[in-house]
Amino acid sequence: MRAEAQNFVAEIEKSLELLRQRMDWDMAQHRLEEFNARVEDPDLWNDPEKAQALMRDRQMLVDAIETHDSIQRDLNDSVELIELGEMEDDQEVIADAEATLKALRAKAAEKELEALLNGEADSNDSFLEINSGAGGTESCDWASMLARMYVRWAEKKGYKVELQAESAGEEAGIKSATYKITGHNAYGWLKSESGVHRLVRISPYDSAARRHTSFSSVWVYPVVDDNIEIEVNPADIRIDTYRSSGAGGQHVNTTDSAVRITHHPTGIVVTSSEKSQHQNRDIAMKALKSRLYQMELDKRNAAINEAHENKGDAGWGNQIRSYVLQPYQMVKDLRTGYETSDSGGVLDGDLDGLMAATLALNVSGKSRAEAAAD
């Protein structure tokens, strides 16, 4: 077997080993038998919510086992075909089997990453907030570039993207924007993006063509579903309605439908200005509950956040990633050390490599210094 094919086999086997670890392979079949026994209980559906949760957990385990077994079968078949082709000196069979191995490696790597998404809210939809930093037009333009990057990433994943609220920059770009990203594991993928993002480039707004550094912050929090109860005391919030408008022009529709909710105990402010006032109130309240839930998740994960040197609100001195467009091309994540020279691809939504490195770091529990030393 040629060296490249041997490398494919080794990488696939490594991914399979991680999949077995994540699902506790030695107990997986036993847990499936327990699920099947509970599903056959005639009293199960007396509590529909409990029954649905059980069926969901069972299906996740079934899918995990079937994914592992399918990859293992395809790996074994491909190795056997290569050995057969080598015995008969059939280069066409060998080439086809090696192509299958290459595709299988990509599939196994993807499933390996998905196995890391096992947090309490990882499977939920996600809210994504982008805010420009100090720097006026430069930062507003950078915020709009980030918004485009995440929208392109979500579209490539097959996720649904809804703009919840947006504040335009005075000359260009946006001051802030909030999106709802809908799709399986949307929050699990996006949660590693919270923090400050730094851009270095030749400014298109500088007549002297000087290099500028811009900052924008990203905040990600899960959409709270019906299975998570968050109580909000009406006395703790203030609801304001105000006039909202589009991007400008003589035919702009202007209404009093926008809604802003302020949560006094935490200082959280959420807005929605895209639909009717009734719909905006519902959207804003869901966003507030999601923010409160994210705060609770942060409290539970305080020890992990401290270990990763990433606790608390993102500050301008706590950037997580740098995007350098001049004098060279590089995107580098400062938490993991992961870097790529394909800055154009990253800004066009190719974020999986960066996200995967952070997911792996979170699972390993390493600090930034430890990750950089590897």
Side-chain angles (χ1 to χ4, degrees), residues 160-220:
K160 179 181 177 183
V161 180
E162 298 174 89
L163 179 64
Q164 302 287 294
E166 182 179 272
S167 175
E170 293 179 3
E171 297 181 28
I174 56 174
K175 292 181 180 178
S176 64
T178 302
Y179 294 90
K180 181 181 178 184
I181 313 295
T182 303
H184 182 61
N185 286 334
Y187 173 69
W189 281 109
L190 283 167
K191 65 182 180 182
S192 64
E193 296 301 295
S194 288
V196 177
H197 296 245
R198 169 178 173 262
L199 173 70
V200 180
R201 64 171 175 173
I202 299 296
S203 171
Y205 305 99
D206 188 335
S207 58
R210 289 170 295 190
R211 206 159 42 130
H212 283 248
T213 299
S214 306
F215 297 93
S216 288
S217 64
V218 173
W219 191 1
V220 176

Side-chain angles (χ1 to χ4, degrees), residues 70-355:
S70 173
I71 294 173
Q72 185 70 70
R73 282 194 303 271
D74 290 345
L75 173 60
N76 294 340
D77 291 346
S78 297
V79 170
E80 289 178 6
L81 279 174
I82 290 175
E83 292 174 348
L84 181 62
E86 290 175 341
M87 289 175 58
E88 300 181 359
D89 195 24
D90 190 331
Q91 296 303 314
E92 184 176 352
V93 169
I94 294 174
D96 287 345
E98 288 179 343
T100 299
L101 278 178
K102 185 176 181 179
L104 190 60
R105 180 193 60 169
K107 177 182 177 181
E110 179 183 355
K111 296 304 179 182
E112 176 184 340
L113 291 178
E114 290 180 359
L116 299 176
L117 302 176
N118 63 349
E120 182 176 0
D122 281 356
S123 62
N124 288 33
D125 302 333
S126 180
F127 286 114
L128 172 73
E129 279 189 18
I130 301 170
N131 294 281
S132 63
T137 301
E138 289 288 340
S139 292
C140 288
D141 189 49
W142 173 221
S144 68
M145 291 170 65
L146 283 173
R148 177 186 179 277
M149 179 181 77
Y150 287 116
V151 168
R152 294 299 301 273
W153 171 83
E155 289 173 346
K156 290 178 180 181
K157 284 284 188 183
Y159 292 160
K160 179 181 177 183
V161 180
E162 298 174 89
L163 179 64
Q164 302 287 294
E166 182 179 272
S167 175
E170 293 179 3
E171 297 181 28
I174 56 174
K175 292 181 180 178
S176 64
T178 302
Y179 294 90
K180 181 181 178 184
I181 313 295
T182 303
H184 182 61
N185 286 334
Y187 173 69
W189 281 109
L190 283 167
K191 65 182 180 182
S192 64
E193 296 301 295
S194 288
V196 177
H197 296 245
R198 169 178 173 262
L199 173 70
V200 180
R201 64 171 175 173
I202 299 296
S203 171
Y205 305 99
D206 188 335
S207 58
R210 289 170 295 190
R211 206 159 42 130
H212 283 248
T213 299
S214 306
F215 297 93
S216 288
S217 64
V218 173
W219 191 1
V220 176
Y221 46 98
V223 174
V224 177
D225 57 29
D226 295 335
N227 295 322
I228 301 174
E229 294 185 6
I230 300 293
E231 293 185 6
V232 177
N233 187 342
D236 289 340
I237 62 174
R238 185 180 76 247
I239 301 178
D240 299 309
T241 58
Y242 61 97
R243 188 170 293 269
S244 65
S245 65
Q250 71 180 94
H251 299 298
V252 169
N253 291 323
T254 302
T255 69
D256 292 314
S257 66
V259 171
R260 178 190 298 114
I261 298 180
T262 304
H263 187 249
H264 298 298
T266 62
I268 291 174
V269 178
V270 293
T271 62
S272 181
S273 56
E274 294 302 309
K275 298 178 174 64
S276 71
Q277 188 175 123
H278 176 74
Q279 289 173 312
N280 278 326
R281 186 182 294 255
D282 182 58
I283 291 170
M285 184 59 72
K286 288 181 178 178
L288 172 60
K289 290 183 177 181
S290 294
R291 292 274 292 271
L292 293 173
Y293 179 61
Q294 179 64 51
M295 289 182 66
E296 179 60 29
L297 288 179
D298 289 343
K299 290 178 183 178
R300 297 181 193 178
N301 296 325
I304 296 176
N305 292 338
E306 184 175 3
H308 294 174
E309 302 168 5
N310 190 34
K311 70 175 181 178
D313 292 335
W316 298 137
N318 190 34
Q319 59 261 28
I320 63 169
R321 190 176 300 149
S322 289
Y323 305 72
V324 181
L325 306 185
Q326 288 288 344
Y328 52 87
Q329 299 275 323
M330 185 185 72
V331 178
K332 182 173 182 178
D333 194 288
L334 304 179
R335 299 163 297 180
T336 64
Y338 183 99
E339 63 183 56
T340 174
S341 60
D342 185 17
S343 57
V346 170
L347 292 174
D348 201 36
D350 294 337
L351 295 170
D352 283 358
L354 290 156
M355 292 177 174

Side-chain angles (χ1 to χ4, degrees), residues 26-46:
D26 292 337
M27 294 296 296
Q29 196 62 44
H30 176 66
R31 285 188 290 120
L32 181 57
E33 291 173 359
E34 289 184 342
F35 277 132
N36 291 337
R38 293 171 65 184
V39 166
E40 294 174 1
D41 185 349
D43 296 328
L44 173 65
W45 289 95
N46 291 342

Side-chain angles (χ1 to χ4, degrees), residues 51-69:
Q52 289 173 1
L54 174 65
M55 296 298 290
R56 183 171 58 250
D57 291 344
R58 176 188 177 278
Q59 191 58 49
M60 288 176 61
L61 180 59
V62 168
D63 290 345
I65 293 174
E66 289 182 349
T67 294
H68 171 276
D69 290 348

